[in-house]
Amino acid sequence: MDPIIIIGTGLAGYSVAREFRKHDKDTPVILITRDDGASYYKPDISEAYAKDKTSEELVQKSAEEMAEMLGATVKTHEQVEAIDREQRQIRLVGGETLTYGRLVLAWGAEPITLNLSGDAVEAVHKVNNLMDYRAFRDSLPDKARVAVLGAGLIGCEFANDLIGAGHKVSVADPAEWPLQQLLPKEAGNAVRKELAHGGVEWHLGQAAVGVHRADNGDLRVELDNKDSIRADVVLSAVGLRVGVKLAEKAGLAVDRGIVVDRTLRTSDPHVFALGDCAEVDGHWRPYVAPLMQCARTLGKTLAGGKDDTPGQVKYPTLPIIIKTHLCPVIVCPPVNKHGEWQVEGHGTAIEARFVDKSGKLLGFALTGEATSKRRDYLKEAPALME
Amino acid sequence: MKKWQCIVCGFEYDEAEGMPDEGVEPGTKWADIPDDWTCPDCGAPKDDFEMMEVE
């Protein structure tokens, strides 16, 4: 029997393998990863200090342990070079070819690289997996000055975690307030205030344009208003983008991600995608909750017979939890844009409701102590994809 | 007996059923599950679970 081949061993790849095994113990499964295949809980990376964990301690299971648990083969440090859909084969760098019955693309997304000038651009870290994090963490001296580029979810979580560990953190972003893509101004400002109180120096409304090496060895982040930030280490966290080239070259439909329908099928009935690399029925949501919904649905589908109707993924109300411990945030982005934010609260306890003309709740954001009301809001908020 | 849900991924823990596959006997109270336990589905820590009302 031709195996199910899964490209990627992040949360998406391993979760779909585990869900598949709940229904099918026999069909061979091969997972392929370009890293060491260690299994870890990615959201822990940006709060590792708060959890008092080193990068090694974040590993939950090694590739060998995962292979045994899943009854699967895990091929580590292998890069897929091409997908041949005619022959149902993938080719690895190095020449090996593998034949699949069904192929699952779960290779995640890549951090966006800012277009920066300067002679120290190579020194900028980006963290989107445990190996990146290890390199970043190893580069930090005690009480490091860290410049974080990007005040989004990952940038804010890192800022909070790093100041907690005694580092000195500056954050630069062209946005007017932190988490601008997710939160209304008042809620973003609550996060700004609390993190500033904790020691974060904000450079909002200011974009990084260059990273230079100063004479004394410092890194100097040049901002577009001619200010600059002196730092020992620079971390860029300006968002994710899906690497679609391999899929595109194989002739699969791509947009912001690899295009799949609600059965997680790509434009080829033998090829599926889920997780951060997939755009499901027009939605690209690179977060844990949607990924897990997809893994459960796809695990069952892959185990089903030819004549079974494949399950359709449903996205219930999907909260995004932002672990800025100094000012925690829970946000459910509006399911559509036809409405406006209504904001209540004071200090750092902000309740923001995004409502349509009739007053129906389409999304919400809660900060600080207001996050204790999350259960009421989760009940009232609509599902994203029913 | 109560039910708990991982708010990260939706996994449910029913105290009445336990998790025999994970070595947790039926009837095990949530409070008796170790603090370093993680969600068997997504790996989230125990903190990320909360009580949900049993329907």
Side-chain angles (χ1 to χ4, degrees):
Chain A
M1 199 187 320
D2 286 330
I4 289 181
I5 294 184
I6 301 169
I7 306 177
T9 60
L11 197 53
Y14 277 143
S15 294
V16 73
R18 196 185 46 246
E19 292 297 325
F20 174 71
R21 277 288 179 251
K22 286 182 183 170
H23 311 287
D24 181 328
K25 307 268 186 244
D26 305 318
T27 306
V29 172
I30 301 172
L31 294 114
I32 299 169
T33 175
R34 64 183 181 191
D35 69 18
D36 62 7
S39 164
Y40 58 96
Y41 184 56
K42 191 150 129 189
D44 278 351
I45 286 182
S46 44
E47 52 166 354
Y49 280 115
K51 290 178 173 277
D52 195 23
K53 285 190 170 165
T54 64
S55 51
E56 283 73 26
E57 285 165 344
L58 292 175
V59 173
Q60 292 177 329
K61 286 196 167 68
S62 69
E64 293 74 26
E65 289 169 320
M66 288 306 290
E68 197 190 329
M69 190 184 94
L70 296 168
T73 303
V74 181
K75 292 170 85 73
T76 59
H77 304 291
E78 295 280 6
Q79 177 95 34
V80 177
E81 190 175 57
I83 298 166
D84 180 345
R85 296 192 293 122
E86 290 272 301
Q87 302 293 322
R88 286 195 211 156
Q89 283 183 333
I90 56 166
R91 190 174 69 244
L92 306 182
V93 173
E96 186 183 354
T97 59
L98 299 164
T99 303
Y100 60 81
R102 260 84 53 82
L103 178 66
V104 179
L105 312 178
W107 60 57
E110 299 289 327
I112 293 169
T113 303
L114 282 176
N115 190 12
L116 299 168
S117 65
D119 58 358
V121 173
E122 294 303 313
V124 175
H125 286 264
K126 287 176 287 190
V127 175
N128 189 40
N129 59 49
L130 192 55
M131 285 166 62
D132 297 341
Y133 181 64
R134 198 171 295 153
F136 168 68
R137 180 95 171 232
D138 288 349
S139 75
L140 290 174
D142 267 356
K143 297 189 177 148
R145 294 165 300 165
V146 185
V148 178
L149 312 183
L153 189 154
I154 299 297
C156 287
E157 286 190 348
F158 266 114
N160 195 142
D161 204 43
L162 291 164
I163 49 170
H167 299 299
K168 189 176 178 319
V169 180
S170 305
V171 182
D173 194 303
E176 282 174 63
W177 61 87
L179 301 161
Q180 194 173 21
Q181 288 184 23
L182 289 168
L183 300 183
K185 188 172 186 172
E186 295 85 345
N189 277 335
V191 174
R192 181 180 60 79
K193 261 183 244 161
E194 283 302 293
L195 266 67
H197 193 65
V200 170
E201 186 182 290
W202 294 103
H203 295 264
L204 294 165
Q206 296 171 25
V209 292
V211 181
H212 309 270
R213 183 73 69 182
D215 291 340
N216 67 352
D218 280 1
L219 293 170
R220 188 173 60 80
V221 178
E222 182 191 349
L223 303 172
D224 61 358
N225 66 345
K226 300 296 170 209
D227 274 357
S228 62
I229 305 168
R230 290 278 180 154
D232 302 302
V233 178
V234 179
L235 174 66
S236 170
V238 293
L240 296 174
R241 177 178 292 156
V242 181
V244 293
K245 262 188 212 150
L246 190 57
E248 206 169 19
K249 251 173 40 192
L252 296 169
V254 298
D255 191 2
R256 270 179 306 172
I258 299 157
V259 171
V260 295
D261 62 17
R262 288 180 60 176
T263 68
L264 287 328
R265 214 182 74 171
T266 66
S267 47
D268 178 327
H270 296 97
V271 184
F272 299 80
L274 82 163
D276 292 0
C277 71
E279 183 180 321
V280 182
D281 196 25
H283 299 282
W284 181 59
R285 299 264 163 163
Y287 302 102
V288 174
L291 179 164
M292 294 303 301
Q293 299 295 332
C294 290
R296 290 179 184 125
T297 302
L298 184 54
K300 216 181 248 177
T301 300
L302 293 172
K306 253 190 197 144
D307 302 324
D308 291 346
T309 310
Q312 307 239 334
V313 73
K314 288 179 186 169
Y315 284 172
T317 311
L318 296 172
I320 299 167
I321 300 163
I322 303 170
K323 293 174 174 178
T324 37
H325 295 285
L326 293 170
C327 183
V329 178
I330 295 182
V331 54
C332 250
V335 290
N336 68 55
K337 288 185 178 132
H338 307 294
E340 58 176 18
W341 287 106
Q342 293 176 349
V343 183
E344 277 178 38
H346 49 82
T348 55
I350 302 291
E351 278 177 60
R353 305 167 59 85
F354 191 90
V355 294
D356 70 8
K357 271 184 191 156
S358 67
K360 187 171 166 277
L361 187 71
L362 299 177
F364 65 86
L366 306 170
T367 66
E369 282 176 13
T371 55
S372 63
K373 297 188 180 170
R374 63 193 185 189
R375 282 171 67 189
D376 299 333
Y377 276 90
L378 285 168
K379 265 185 222 156
E380 190 186 345
L384 179 59
M385 213 162 72
E386 281 180 294
Chain B
M1 295 285 105
K2 288 172 178 166
K3 268 192 195 175
W4 297 79
Q5 186 170 41
C6 174
I7 57 169
V8 176
C9 81
F11 173 83
E12 285 177 23
Y13 175 67
D14 184 337
E15 293 181 343
E17 289 176 17
M19 285 174 288
D21 292 348
E22 303 265 312
V24 178
E25 298 290 320
T28 304
K29 288 219 173 94
W30 181 247
D32 294 333
I33 290 179
D35 287 342
D36 61 357
W37 179 87
T38 57
C39 174
D41 274 9
C42 74
K46 194 180 168 190
D47 303 353
D48 280 344
F49 275 73
E50 63 179 65
M51 241 289 288
M52 49 179 247
E53 282 154 50
V54 180
E55 284 152 29

